[in-house]
């Protein structure tokens, strides 16, 4: 009998090359995903050192952060954005890297493209110069966000130096109530465990809720692992995973498919394996959750009131509540429900996939965005856009008063023309509500599930989607 | 590649108080549209330092008496948020050589170490002592002794922690892993052959 192991341990051991002098591991990175924002400096360092890309066939590029979602033709209005685009093209051509450029029809947010193409596979290691690389863990991969210097390392050696993480198993058991989504699950987890509760850990998500979740729901949760401080987050691969991957462009086919499935299954955590920590959450206790503050851990259920700093248990907590409320221009102890919004944003690598738009469209049909609210729906990839358009979802969004845009990161962050103005408040399906995140130094973000964004859009205020759309009766 | 050994950092310090200072605060995303890191330093903490019209807001880094400080003091969970190296790069390009905070976000910590920026953690009350000394006399010489895990300033001393792997890397000039990683390439190739998904 071999000792039972977690998926993390198995993947780690399969990819550990050797132990370095500082005790870290030289870890083989099977798949390297790159985008225009964090890679150019790394290529520059590579050139300075006279090095080549070690495994160009395991390096894949896309462009997402800077692309305008309302302009397809180049040159882009912003010359800096165009320069980054040109630089990525040049680097990919020079080093022989596959680039899912807009002309391929496969462009999109890197964390949507990888899974969509079947590049993201169980039992693999993935790195990308982007914090939300944890998304790919939904497939039972160990996926890390890395910095530019590490991108250089992975380009040059297909490895990086890394200390081993501990593993925390997070069980979510029971059933989610109607109107409660994967986004609420992760906002709840972060609220409970804190924004740095996951430091030093990889999160293994499991339990009945995850067993039932689709791949897209699993991705939503894994995506925000980093917002809870966990460098990586994953779900063990199962039939749902294999069914998703079958027939994708980079998935194995024919006899290789059967072999791959057997291998992938073998990576799943063994029963009785060791976890450094275990947390169990009752699904029924999770409500539609929204943030009220300036980090993703500052969340409350839609029925709650924003905290009152005078009730804080510690000075620290008091200061951070005060700072957040002042920035958000919210009064202590008031209900979050009813807070006026200016902008509604549907999209991002957290919630910019087909099922997100399908679910919203189901309820949005026949409704109208409230007067004065700017609402945009931004598919996470060109393929998602096409799928939505084939189903006529774009028309449902447009009829409701949403602008239907081209694929990109859009208003998730301030690197393209989609930005908040002044202190606008945005109901957003993205993953970060940091000060200034959405492009205006005083812009305000309230994170929530896509359906809650739709509810806010049609009522003009933070609202309970279950009431607005009579979700219980559906 | 021979890298500098960083057993200690000596210089003046400045306190930028607050918890959860995230990477978007350190360098707002709109300044990251660049293909090189040069020039990021001037935008460090931009939105908390500058008004929309370009005039200064009250911020420690805007105070002339703290100009030239090379050691940054701060609170808990410093550097949370994005994995982008623009934040530590902006800190380094601005002129900082070390950071002392209650604790650091994981990715940020790793990114700093790789740039040769020691990140030392200390108790809040101890950081407050350094901050008070610097406040009273900005010219106070502060020594972050990475090897000894202590900070000396104005005749006082506090205990800090520099995580063992980072400490070892800094002290021995191994903070940038590339040399060692390149040495391992033959082993990488053989490891890769055992993994079917890596076949060309
Ligand atoms: S959608 Fe947002 S979080 Fe995701 S990769 Fe783009 S900018 Fe980053």
């Amino acid at each position: 009998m071999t000792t039972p192991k977690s998926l993390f341990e198995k993947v780690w051991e399969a990819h550990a090359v050797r132990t370095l002098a500082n005790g870290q591991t030289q870890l083989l990175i099977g798949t390297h995903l790159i985008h225009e924002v964090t890679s150019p400096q790394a290529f520059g360092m590579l050139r300075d050192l006279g090095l080549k890309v070690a495994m160009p066939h395991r390096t894949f590029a896309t462009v997402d952060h800077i692309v305008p979602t309302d302009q397809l033709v180049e040159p882009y209005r912003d010359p800096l954005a165009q320069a980054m685009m040109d630089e990525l093209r040049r680097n990919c051509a020079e080093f022989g890297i596959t680039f899912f450029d807009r002309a391929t029809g496969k462009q999109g947010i890197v964390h949507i493209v990888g899974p969509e193409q079947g590049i993201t596979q169980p039992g693999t290691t993935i790195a990308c110069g982007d914090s939300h690389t944890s998304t790919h863990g939904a497939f039972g991969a160990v996926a890390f966000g890395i910095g530019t210097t590490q991108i250089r390392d992975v380009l040059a050696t297909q490895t990086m130096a890394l200390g081993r993480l501990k593993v925390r198993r997070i069980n979510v058991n029971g059933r989610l109530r109607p109107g409660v989504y994967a986004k609420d699950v992760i906002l709840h987890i972060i609220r409970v465990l804190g924004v740095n509760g996951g430091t030093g850990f990889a999160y293994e998500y499991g339990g009945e809720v995850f067993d039932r979740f689709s791949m897209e729901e699993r991705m939503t949760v894994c995506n925000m692992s980093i917002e809870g401080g966990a460098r990586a987050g994953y779900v063990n691969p199962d039939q749902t995973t294999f069914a998703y991957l079958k027939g994708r462009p980079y998935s194995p086919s024919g006899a290789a498919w059967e072999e791959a499935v057997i291998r992938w299954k073998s990576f799943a955590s063994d029963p009785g394996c060791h976890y450094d920590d275990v947390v169990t959450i009752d699904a029924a206790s999770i409500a539609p959750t929204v943030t009220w503050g300036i980090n993703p851990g500052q969340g409350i259920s839609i029925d709650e009131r924003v905290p009152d700093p005078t009730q804080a248990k510690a000075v620290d907590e008091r200061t951070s509540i005060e700072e957040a409320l002042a920035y958000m221009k919210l009064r202590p102890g008031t209900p979050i429900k009813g807070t006026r919004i200016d902008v509604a944003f549907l999209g991002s690598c957290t919630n910019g996939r087909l099922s997100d738009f399908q679910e919203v469209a189901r309820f949005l049909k026949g409704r109208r965005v409230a007067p004065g609210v700017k609402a945009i729906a931004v598919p996470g990839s060109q393929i998602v856009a096409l799928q939505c358009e084939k189903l006529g979802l774009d028309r449902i969004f447009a009829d409701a008063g949403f602008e239907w845009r081209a694929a990109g990161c859009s208003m998730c962050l301030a690197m393209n023309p989609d930005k908040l103005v002044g202190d606008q408040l945005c109901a957003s399906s993205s993953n970060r509500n940091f000060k200034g995140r959405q492009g205006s130094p005083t812009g305000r973000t309230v994170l929530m599930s896509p359906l809650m964004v739709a509810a806010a859009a049609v009522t003009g205020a933070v609202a309970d989607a279950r009431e607005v759309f009579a979700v219980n009766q559906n | 590649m021979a890298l500098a050994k960083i057993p200690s950092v000596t210089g003046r310090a400045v306190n930028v108080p607050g918890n959860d200072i995230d990477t978007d605060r350190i360098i707002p995303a709109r300044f990251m549209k660049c293909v090189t890191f040069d020039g990021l330093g001037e935008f460090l903490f931009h939105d908390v330092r500058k008004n929309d019209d370009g005039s200064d807001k009250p911020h420690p880094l805007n105070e002339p008496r703290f100009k030239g400080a090379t050691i940054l003091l701060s609170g808990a969970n410093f550097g949370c948020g994005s994995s982008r190296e623009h934040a530590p790069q902006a800190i380094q390009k601005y002129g900082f050589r070390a950071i002392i905070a209650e604790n650091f976000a994981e990715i940020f910590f790793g990114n700093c170490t790789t740039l040769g920026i020691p990140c030392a953690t200390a108790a809040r009350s101890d950081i407050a002592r350094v901050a008070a000394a610097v406040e009273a006399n900005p010219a106070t010489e502060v020594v972050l002794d990475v090897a000894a895990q202590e900070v000396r300033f104005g005749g006082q001393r506090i205990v800090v922690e520099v995580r063992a792997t980072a400490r070892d890397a800094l002290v021995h000039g191994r903070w940038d892993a590339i040399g060692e990683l390149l040495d391992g390439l033959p082993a990488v190739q053989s490891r890769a052959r055992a993994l079917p998904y890596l076949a060309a």
Side-chain angles (χ1 to χ4, degrees):
Chain A
M1 266 286 292
T2 50
T3 356
K5 286 178 182 160
S6 69
L7 176 138
F8 181 85
E9 285 177 274
K10 295 186 213 183
V11 174
W12 185 274
E13 284 164 13
H15 293 79
V17 175
R18 58 187 194 136
T19 304
L20 300 168
N22 66 3
Q24 288 187 311
T25 299
Q26 179 167 12
L27 190 73
L28 180 57
I29 299 300
T31 302
H32 189 196
L33 305 171
I34 60 174
H35 64 67
E36 77 283 13
V37 179
T38 53
S39 70
Q41 303 85 353
F43 281 108
M45 295 176 184
L46 206 66
R47 284 197 191 87
D48 288 347
L49 295 168
L51 298 169
K52 285 198 179 20
V53 175
M55 294 190 194
H57 73 288
R58 295 307 307 165
T59 313
F60 304 91
T62 186
V63 58
D64 47 12
H65 288 65
I66 55 95
V67 288
T69 60
D70 59 353
Q71 183 191 8
L72 293 172
V73 287
E74 297 179 42
Y76 297 145
R77 288 182 296 264
D78 177 355
L80 283 172
Q82 187 63 47
M84 294 176 93
M85 184 80 186
D86 295 342
E87 188 73 9
L88 184 60
R89 266 191 202 121
R90 175 169 89 100
N91 287 327
C92 289
E94 179 178 335
F95 293 101
I97 293 165
T98 302
F99 178 26
F100 300 114
D101 203 341
R102 270 180 156 174
T104 64
K106 297 170 182 169
Q107 171 267 341
I109 306 174
V110 64
H111 310 308
I112 294 188
V113 171
E116 205 166 61
Q117 291 299 317
I119 293 168
T120 302
Q121 294 178 6
T124 64
T125 50
I126 300 177
C128 175
D130 195 281
S131 337
H132 297 96
T133 307
S134 55
T135 312
H136 305 266
F139 292 79
V142 172
F144 301 102
I146 58 177
T148 298
T149 307
Q150 290 172 317
I151 301 175
R152 175 206 63 183
D153 295 348
V154 179
L155 287 172
T157 69
Q158 204 66 24
T159 65
M160 58 190 259
L162 204 67
R164 194 167 174 151
L165 300 175
K166 293 180 285 185
V167 181
R168 172 179 291 144
R169 165 84 181 190
I170 300 178
N171 295 304
V172 184
N173 289 327
R175 261 183 196 282
L176 293 175
R177 290 182 282 158
V180 177
Y181 295 95
K183 181 62 158 288
D184 301 304
V185 171
I186 186 61
L187 285 173
H188 182 86
I189 290 172
I190 299 168
R191 178 188 179 186
V192 173
L193 298 176
V195 283
N196 38 12
T199 304
F201 282 97
Y203 281 173
E204 176 179 303
Y205 302 102
E208 290 144 19
V209 165
F210 284 90
D211 292 344
R212 276 192 301 267
F213 265 169
S214 69
M215 286 317 295
E216 301 200 342
E217 292 172 306
R218 293 176 187 181
M219 283 189 256
T220 297
V221 174
C222 289
N223 173 274
M224 289 186 70
S225 303
I226 189 68
E227 306 308 333
R231 189 90 189 261
Y234 66 88
V235 177
N236 283 304
D238 61 8
Q239 284 309 324
T240 306
T241 322
F242 311 141
Y244 177 99
L245 284 171
K246 194 153 174 82
R248 305 241 162 209
Y250 285 83
S251 293
S253 55
W257 169 259
E258 303 301 333
E259 284 165 29
V261 170
I262 293 169
R263 201 170 53 245
W264 290 343
K265 279 185 184 157
S266 74
F267 279 103
S269 293
D270 299 322
C273 70
H274 170 78
Y275 295 111
D276 300 282
D277 190 28
V278 178
V279 172
T280 298
I281 291 169
D282 173 14
S285 72
I286 305 174
T289 301
V290 298
T291 58
W292 55 269
I294 50 173
N295 73 53
Q298 291 175 323
I300 48 177
S301 80
I302 184 64
D303 294 323
E304 282 179 81
R305 291 166 180 269
V306 304
D308 182 341
T310 62
Q311 314 274 302
K313 289 181 282 294
V315 190
D316 241 19
E317 194 190 334
R318 182 186 175 129
T319 331
S320 71
I321 294 174
E322 280 168 351
E323 184 190 3
L325 291 180
Y327 183 84
M328 293 300 291
K329 303 193 166 95
L330 293 173
R331 269 183 296 128
T334 52
I336 189 75
K337 200 154 86 177
T339 307
R340 309 294 310 167
I341 68 149
D342 305 292
V343 178
F345 169 55
L346 273 179
S348 87
C349 59
T350 314
N351 283 121
R353 297 183 178 80
L354 176 62
S355 59
D356 296 311
F357 295 104
Q358 275 179 312
E359 183 68 6
V360 172
R362 197 156 78 86
F363 293 99
L364 191 64
K365 200 169 179 156
R367 304 293 286 264
R368 284 289 306 170
V369 169
V373 171
K374 179 188 172 72
I376 62 172
V378 189
S381 72
Q382 291 180 309
I383 291 177
V384 170
L386 197 68
Q387 288 169 331
C388 289
E389 285 156 18
K390 276 197 184 134
L391 294 170
L393 305 187
D394 56 325
R395 281 199 312 282
I396 296 177
F397 281 97
D399 290 347
F402 272 83
E403 294 173 33
W404 182 256
R405 296 292 190 80
C409 294
S410 183
M411 207 181 268
C412 178
L413 98 172
M415 295 191 74
N416 57 68
D418 303 334
K419 288 184 173 73
L420 296 184
V421 180
D423 69 353
Q424 279 183 330
L425 191 138
C426 179
S428 182
S429 70
S430 57
N431 48 44
R432 283 188 168 157
N433 52 342
F434 300 149
K435 289 181 175 177
R437 168 73 179 185
Q438 293 187 291
S440 162
T442 49
R444 298 169 292 160
T445 305
V446 177
L447 301 176
M448 56 184 80
S449 73
L451 194 63
M452 291 283 282
V453 171
V458 303
T459 59
V462 176
D464 189 336
R466 297 171 300 187
E467 295 164 6
V468 176
F469 298 117
V471 170
N472 285 310
Q473 286 123 55
N474 275 270
Chain B
M1 283 193 342
L3 297 173
K5 296 184 165 68
I6 308 174
S8 67
V9 175
T10 301
R12 290 188 288 118
V14 58
N15 184 31
V16 176
N19 296 331
D20 303 314
I21 292 185
D22 59 69
T23 49
D24 281 352
R25 186 115 43 109
I26 296 170
I27 179 86
R30 63 184 184 283
F31 297 117
M32 300 190 310
K33 272 192 267 170
C34 57
V35 291
T36 73
F37 286 131
D38 309 337
L40 278 185
E42 69 176 286
F43 301 116
L44 182 66
F45 292 116
H46 184 277
D47 290 349
V48 283
R49 285 176 62 199
K50 300 282 176 192
N51 291 307
D52 288 348
D53 63 7
S55 60
D56 280 357
K57 290 182 185 178
H59 190 277
L61 296 194
N62 289 338
E63 295 185 38
R65 60 195 183 117
F66 295 125
K67 284 274 167 325
T70 53
I71 297 174
L72 179 63
L73 308 174
S74 196
N77 200 25
F78 189 81
C80 59
S82 152
S83 64
R84 284 177 228 112
E85 224 170 277
H86 299 68
Q89 286 280 0
I91 288 172
Q92 190 173 58
K93 292 282 186 307
Y94 182 88
F96 287 112
R97 295 282 163 267
I99 312 172
I100 303 167
E102 276 179 70
N103 51 56
F104 294 89
E106 192 76 8
I107 297 181
F108 179 86
F109 180 93
N111 287 340
C112 282
T113 306
T114 309
L115 293 177
I117 305 172
C119 289
T121 57
R124 169 177 312 189
S125 54
D126 285 339
I127 295 174
R129 280 170 58 200
V130 185
V134 169
E135 179 64 36
N137 176 14
T140 305
E141 186 183 83
V142 178
V143 181
L144 166 62
D145 191 327
V146 177
Q149 299 193 90
E150 61 178 32
V151 171
R152 297 183 292 273
F153 57 102
Q156 304 186 64
R157 172 185 167 274
I158 63 163
V159 174
V160 300
E161 190 185 337
V162 180
R163 198 188 296 169
T165 46
R167 188 170 71 233
D168 183 73
L170 291 160
V171 170
H172 295 105
R174 282 196 297 259
W175 38 270
D176 187 336
I178 189 77
E180 220 184 338
L181 293 178
L182 285 166
D183 291 344
L185 272 181
V188 173
Q189 295 299 351
S190 66
R191 174 50 88 187
R193 277 191 291 275
L195 295 165
Y197 78 101
L198 297 184

